[in-house]
Amino acid sequence: MHRLLRTSMQGDRIPSPDQPVEDRLLFLQENMVSFVNQFNMPVIEVSLILSKYIRIILDSLAEAAQREGEILPENLVEPWSIDSNPDAPTIESFPLERLLGRLAQDRMDILDTLIRSILNESQLPFVPALTLLREWESIARTQLSQAGSPGHLFSPMEFPDGF
């Protein structure tokens, strides 16, 4: 797994928990972008993995907030708004069974492991990690909303310049 991780300022190792949060987030971001680009990962596969980690982190944050009598900010709890084409077909109109059969589970497992390893080993705080994943989710949802056919869901994930 470690050979898949991009080199960071301190070599090819995952940043330690005592390093600045920004360095740990950057390491996660760089490795995710590198992997997704290197394997031309389809937006639907990336979306499924993002959804998993957003749900896991959000559940943990919600439990902690409830114990403390706090309320989580809406920008963490809800997906960010996106510009979408209201006339585009919705994913519900696509043949779900065929879509799921085309997923590359091995590729998804590797991205899953990459994210989990970096989150756990660097001990990234949940709020910045969730914010980063929400940004990814926004990009993925925008691309998914532009899908005119089931095949478009398997287009490689595209990132804005400078992402």
Side-chain angles (χ1 to χ4, degrees), residues 109-128:
D109 288 346
I110 295 169
L111 180 61
D112 183 292
T113 302
L114 183 138
I115 293 170
R116 183 179 63 250
S117 296
I118 295 172
L119 289 175
N120 289 339
E121 290 185 40
S122 71
Q123 296 179 15
L124 254 168
F126 283 159
V127 171

Side-chain angles (χ1 to χ4, degrees), residues 5-110:
L5 301 176
R6 281 181 52 97
T7 327
S8 67
M9 292 180 279
Q10 64 278 15
D12 62 354
R13 296 172 28 122
I14 295 174
S16 66
D18 61 341
Q19 291 190 278
V21 171
E22 295 79 15
D23 291 349
R24 293 180 276 163
L25 281 171
L26 181 60
F27 188 81
L28 176 60
Q29 172 82 349
E30 287 176 343
N31 279 278
M32 288 174 65
V33 169
S34 177
F35 181 82
V36 168
N37 282 336
Q38 183 177 356
F39 289 88
N40 290 319
M41 200 158 178
V43 67
I44 191 169
E45 293 176 4
V46 175
S47 297
L48 290 170
I49 299 300
L50 291 172
S51 174
K52 173 186 176 179
Y53 280 97
I54 287 170
R55 186 182 65 252
I56 289 169
I57 294 171
L58 190 55
D59 287 350
S60 294
L61 281 173
E63 281 181 31
Q66 186 176 13
R67 277 193 311 270
E68 300 297 321
E70 297 180 5
I71 297 173
L72 294 174
E74 192 166 322
N75 71 323
L76 291 178
V77 175
E78 296 296 326
W80 299 353
S81 65
I82 60 168
D83 292 328
S84 62
N85 178 359
D87 298 328
T90 61
I91 197 166
E92 294 87 17
S93 67
F94 299 154
L96 193 56
E97 290 299 318
R98 276 196 3 219
L99 292 175
L100 294 176
R102 291 184 54 201
L103 299 175
Q105 195 61 50
D106 290 345
R107 187 171 46 209
M108 291 173 61
D109 288 346
I110 295 169

